[in-house]
Amino acid sequence: MRLPRTARLLAGAVALVLTTTLVAPAAQAGPKDRKRKVDHSISQLKQDLEDTSADLAKAYLRLKQIQQQLPGARAKLAAAQRTLAAAKAKDVELGQKLAVSKANEQKALDELAANATKSEETTSTIGGIARQAYQTSGLGELSVALDATSVQDLADRMVLADTAMRIQGDALAELQALAAQTTATKARLVAVREQTAVLKKEAEAALARARAAEKAAADAKAKVDALLADQKTQVAHIEARKAAEKKRLAQLEAERRTLEKKLAELARQARIRAEKSGHASSSSESTGGFLSRPVNGGWISSEFGMRYHPILHYWRLHAGMDFAVACGTPVHAAASGTVVSAGWAGGYGNRVVIDNGYVRGVGLSTTYNHLSRIVVHGGHVSRGQLIAYSGTTGSSTGCHLHFETYENGVPKNPRRWL
């Protein structure tokens, strides 16, 4: 049998929500659009979980929220890990540059020390030559010639004098070169030290960024781990509660069948009375307008019709209409009638049932469910009379009024009468 179009659409929506791994939103979808979709899916789930025990519904909603949060949490973790990797790479790069800069600084210092040693040695050499010249009354050609004792001695003295002058000249030239080299090395040392200072600051900043990135990655991972652990807990809770939930929903269905039988009997008696009085009508088609809205304000959050249970995976009837109103909103009788029952009704929470009599060929009854407080517990009520206040008692996932209409004990769409 082909399901109604609304049921097929609902099944498709629920199946999409129930996927364990959610598909990432399209790139063009902004945060507001994604949040609106998430809020809509959670709202739809709350409707689908109507009549489900509060703790199970809470666990399932939490599970869906976790599954919707996990992709974003994992994306943040991946981004944090990429940032951390980049920060560490930058830290390593700057560390290497800093090591090279420090090596260059030490090299310059070593060169300066070597130049200083060479300068001392060269200066000592020049000093020795000067002292020798002083002691021998100079190295001039006249002095050498006068002091010579023979031609051979003269020749030897001339060679020695020439060698001494050449050594002195080379030493002076080397001393000048060392002085120039020392000046250049000192300038290079200043530049290297400035570079080292800049690299130290960059390295410190890079290290701080790496530590911050590491903390962000750790926090992101902790978030993912916590979500996964929470998911495991909720799944275990749901699995453990399934059997009890099936039993509880079976009891709820039995309660509704009992109510249907009771209302069907009241409708039969009302029809008999109407036939005896000559007011019976064969028409059972309602054109609406007979019932008033039971609450002022609010909006219709869920219509009458078949609904898919996302945990137990079967279709069941949502036998009424939900008015989304705050807890404590006054609830009024939709039409005059007699209070059939008023009190606790299991999954329906606090409930008021009113027999509205034989109307348009059917025995009409209305029920008001999940009430926070009941005002009228019996007797006759008039249209618009305050009978209770809305709430979220019984199997309810939020404040609202669940309103039902029964024709001859059979639940029908309230829109036929409103």
Side-chain angles (χ1 to χ4, degrees):
M1 177 178 176
R2 187 175 177 82
L3 292 170
R5 181 175 181 273
T6 55
R8 296 198 306 274
L9 291 175
L10 178 58
V14 172
L16 178 62
V17 174
L18 290 177
T19 53
T20 302
T21 304
L22 297 181
V23 178
Q28 64 271 23
K32 291 184 178 179
D33 292 332
R34 291 196 295 270
K35 183 180 184 303
R36 186 161 49 248
K37 290 179 180 179
V38 169
D39 291 344
H40 175 73
S41 65
I42 294 299
S43 176
Q44 182 64 56
L45 276 175
K46 285 182 177 180
Q47 295 176 26
D48 295 336
L49 291 170
E50 187 70 27
D51 298 334
T52 302
S53 60
D55 63 330
L56 183 57
K58 182 179 178 181
Y60 191 78
L61 288 172
R62 177 57 187 156
L63 176 61
K64 294 296 108 180
Q65 290 171 341
I66 291 169
Q67 291 175 348
Q68 289 166 340
Q69 290 172 9
L70 269 173
R74 284 178 171 140
K76 285 184 179 180
L77 173 57
Q81 289 173 334
R82 288 193 297 270
T83 301
L84 175 59
K88 285 184 175 180
K90 186 65 176 178
D91 185 46
V92 171
E93 177 189 349
L94 289 172
Q96 292 172 343
K97 288 183 178 179
L98 185 58
V100 171
S101 184
K102 286 182 177 180
N104 289 334
E105 182 179 346
Q106 186 59 48
K107 182 179 179 181
L109 289 171
D110 293 342
E111 288 179 3
L112 287 175
N115 288 346
T117 301
K118 288 182 180 179
S119 294
E120 289 178 1
E121 293 175 351
T122 304
T123 301
S124 178
T125 300
I126 294 173
I129 294 172
R131 285 192 301 273
Q132 183 65 31
Y134 176 78
Q135 292 172 359
T136 58
S137 301
L139 295 174
E141 291 181 359
L142 180 58
S143 174
V144 170
L146 291 175
D147 291 339
T149 57
S150 65
V151 174
Q152 184 61 42
D153 184 38
L154 176 61
D156 293 340
R157 283 177 175 272
M158 290 297 291
V159 171
L160 288 173
D162 182 62
T163 300
M165 293 301 293
R166 188 173 66 253
I167 290 173
Q168 186 179 36
D170 291 343
L172 288 172
E174 183 179 3
L175 192 61
Q176 289 176 348
L178 285 172
Q181 186 178 355
T182 297
T183 300
T185 302
K186 285 182 178 179
R188 180 158 53 87
L189 179 60
V190 171
V192 168
R193 282 176 171 170
E194 289 178 353
Q195 183 185 32
T196 299
V198 171
L199 287 172
K200 280 183 177 180
K201 289 183 179 179
E202 289 185 5
E204 289 172 358
L207 180 60
R209 289 193 297 271
R211 286 173 177 170
E214 189 170 17
K215 184 180 184 304
D219 291 344
K221 186 177 186 305
K223 173 71 173 178
V224 171
D225 290 344
L227 287 173
L228 290 173
D230 197 357
Q231 176 178 252
K232 184 177 180 180
T233 299
Q234 303 307 329
V235 168
H237 181 75
I238 290 169
E239 290 301 318
R241 287 280 299 140
K242 273 187 177 181
E245 185 64 15
K246 289 179 180 179
K247 182 178 179 180
R248 195 195 62 78
L249 287 178
Q251 292 173 344
L252 187 64
E253 185 66 22
E255 290 174 4
R256 194 179 75 178
R257 286 196 297 269
T258 299
L259 176 64
E260 289 176 358
K261 290 179 180 179
K262 184 175 183 178
L263 295 179
E265 177 58 24
L266 290 174
R268 187 186 69 81
Q269 296 175 7
R271 180 175 58 79
I272 292 173
R273 288 194 298 270
E275 289 174 349
K276 287 182 177 180
S277 63
H279 294 97
S281 171
S282 59
S283 174
S284 61
E285 289 297 322
S286 173
T287 57
F290 179 77
L291 298 177
S292 303
R293 281 177 63 98
V295 289
N296 294 324
W299 52 283
I300 307 301
S301 60
S302 184
E303 295 282 358
F304 176 96
M306 298 301 292
R307 180 177 290 174
Y308 186 80
H309 197 292
I311 301 175
L312 303 180
H313 308 300
Y314 71 91
W315 289 90
R316 73 195 194 286
L317 177 65
H318 180 242
M321 177 185 290
D322 291 342
F323 291 85
V325 292
C327 286
T329 299
V331 177
H332 307 276
S336 299
T338 302
V339 175
V340 175
S341 63
W344 184 256
Y348 293 100
N350 293 322
R351 179 177 68 184
V352 173
V353 180
I354 298 176
D355 177 10
N356 301 105
Y358 196 71
V359 182
R360 298 174 183 172
V362 297
L364 178 65
S365 300
T366 51
T367 73
Y368 312 76
N369 306 270
H370 306 305
L371 305 170
S372 60
R373 184 163 66 93
I374 297 173
V375 176
V376 177
H377 291 82
H380 180 81
V381 294
S382 301
R383 178 192 301 272
Q385 180 178 339
L386 176 67
I387 59 173
Y389 293 92
S390 64
T392 183
T393 56
S395 299
S396 171
T397 56
C399 296
H400 72 290
L401 173 68
H402 177 69
F403 177 70
E404 299 177 338
T405 57
Y406 286 80
E407 298 177 13
N408 296 329
V410 179
K412 296 291 184 178
N413 193 339
R415 285 195 179 277
R416 291 161 53 91
W417 295 91
L418 289 170

